[in-house]
Amino acid sequence: MAISGEPAVVVSDLVKRFGSFTAVDCVSFTVPRGEIFGFLGPNGAGKSTTIRMLCGILAPTAGGGRVAGFDILRESEKIKARIGYMSQKFSLYEDLTVEENIEFYGDIYGVPPRRLRERKAWILEMANLKDRSRSLTRELAMGWKQRLALGCAMVHEPEILFLDEPTAGVDPISRRQFWDLIFTVAGQGVTVFVTTHYMDEAEHCERIALIYGGRLIALGSPRDLKTQYAAGTLLEVEATPLMTALAALDAEPAARESAIFGVTLHVVTESPEAIMPIRAALERAGAEVRRVEPIIPSLEDVFVGLIEQADRERA
């Protein structure tokens, strides 16, 4: 049995190699029970590989971990019975109706018939699918399929819910509605482990881990990461030509880090006093300076800054 009070997920020096390629490189972290934990990173960073190892779908090359109190190497079948897993592609059967998909997954997980009827009613209510219960799944819009996939992953009342980029390719309104469902599930005490590359979604998590190139480069609450990153002053610079301005700032000692954000530049400096030398450097380079002002860093600023720092350390 799972140990009461033990963290939902414990990962220790987890490694996964495919031939000579290391997809996950000595990753370690802990997720307490009941937390909404975000796993953030660009495509190819190692998010999906990590989540598949934790779900018992892939065997680690080295290291280990525990999920719901069970060892991911030796007790993967016990783990699968206690978790819900929703992949990017929504593992639904297109030729079955909404309720038939729910019943199918209920049978797979061994949910008793009476309890399955209760769970089906709860899922249809939660996902607002009661009026579509007899619709073929292939006829549903992407947002409705997303809700159905979440319901199927929850049919057996798992302790931990793994969501692997569940909102990829879904419109912003459906994404927002889906997160309302995540909050509903988390409010019932379920631990939610969600991978994403959307910064606004990461803000909803109690803690987030940033993974890049297979390595964990930051871990903490969104607020903590912003505070850590704000160990200086972040300036937003509006100047043209943009690339001329970026080259000038790369050569300016007062600019600790510079990056393009849309049609502006975000520049990390030691203090607000750096505004004057930065403006002067831009003007010397022939850039037309429209605005240089301090701003509050966003998670995107944190993410870009940490990735650039990781790239410099590797170089």
Side-chain angles (χ1 to χ4, degrees):
M1 294 291 292
I3 301 173
S4 177
E6 183 174 350
V9 179
V10 179
V11 179
S12 304
D13 298 323
L14 199 61
V15 176
K16 183 61 181 179
R17 298 188 186 94
F18 297 97
S20 61
F21 174 68
T22 302
V24 177
D25 191 0
C26 290
V27 168
S28 300
F29 58 85
T30 299
V31 181
R33 290 183 180 270
E35 185 173 73
I36 300 178
F37 183 82
F39 209 43
L40 186 65
N43 291 332
K47 303 189 302 296
S48 295
T49 302
T50 300
I51 210 172
R52 287 170 187 163
M53 286 189 283
L54 297 179
C55 292
I57 299 170
L58 280 177
T61 304
R66 298 181 69 82
V67 174
F70 298 102
D71 187 275
I72 63 173
L73 288 169
R74 299 188 301 271
E75 301 174 296
S76 61
E77 292 306 312
K78 292 180 180 178
I79 289 172
K80 290 174 185 175
R82 287 164 174 80
I83 65 170
Y85 172 63
M86 179 176 165
S87 66
Q88 299 175 34
K89 296 183 179 179
F90 311 155
S91 301
L92 300 172
Y93 290 87
E94 298 280 303
D95 292 331
L96 297 182
T97 66
V98 168
E99 62 181 2
E100 285 171 345
N101 263 292
I102 297 171
E103 291 165 357
F104 176 78
Y105 278 98
D107 288 341
I108 286 179
Y109 283 111
V111 181
R114 182 176 177 179
R115 186 56 180 158
L116 180 54
R117 287 194 297 272
E118 295 171 351
R119 292 300 294 164
K120 181 169 68 173
W122 179 84
I123 290 167
L124 293 174
E125 178 70 30
M126 174 200 71
N128 196 22
L129 283 166
K130 286 194 294 184
D131 294 339
R132 295 172 171 80
S133 63
R134 297 187 179 180
S135 299
L136 288 176
T137 301
R138 65 166 177 264
E139 297 172 352
L140 299 178
M142 183 64 74
W144 296 109
K145 289 182 181 179
Q146 177 194 52
R147 297 180 192 189
L148 176 58
L150 176 65
C152 290
M154 291 289 299
V155 68
H156 57 305
E157 301 175 85
E159 303 171 30
I160 306 166
L161 185 59
F162 287 92
L163 308 175
D164 190 8
E165 298 206 18
T167 58
V170 179
D171 67 85
I173 293 176
S174 294
R175 284 206 290 129
R176 188 169 186 174
Q177 291 171 339
F178 187 77
W179 271 91
D180 288 340
L181 296 181
I182 291 178
F183 294 140
T184 298
V185 169
Q188 299 173 347
V190 177
T191 304
V192 180
F193 187 115
V194 56
T195 71
T196 183
H197 57 260
Y198 292 116
M199 300 299 152
D200 59 329
E201 292 187 353
E203 292 276 7
H204 297 320
C205 300
E206 294 168 71
R207 284 191 309 142
I208 54 178
L210 300 181
I211 187 170
Y212 177 60
R215 296 180 183 177
L216 206 66
I217 60 175
L219 176 65
S221 70
R223 181 175 180 177
D224 289 343
L225 292 178
K226 291 177 189 177
T227 302
Q228 175 185 343
Y229 182 79
T233 298
L234 181 65
L235 303 178
E236 186 167 66
V237 175
E238 188 176 349
T240 54
L242 196 63
M243 298 310 296
T244 299
L246 180 62
L249 293 176
D250 285 342
E252 170 55 43
R256 202 165 69 196
E257 296 175 12
S258 305
I260 296 174
F261 273 73
V263 296
T264 66
L265 297 172
H266 283 193
V267 185
V268 180
T269 65
E270 295 296 335
S271 70
E273 284 71 29
I275 290 177
M276 293 305 293
I278 283 176
R279 180 179 285 274
L282 293 168
E283 291 173 347
R284 283 196 305 271
E288 179 184 349
V289 183
R290 296 190 180 92
R291 180 169 56 89
V292 181
E293 61 186 24
I295 61 170
I296 298 172
S298 66
L299 264 184
E300 188 172 357
D301 291 306
V302 173
F303 186 52
V304 171
L306 288 169
I307 283 181
E308 291 182 345
Q309 179 181 333
D311 284 339
R312 286 195 301 273
E313 289 174 354
R314 291 181 182 182

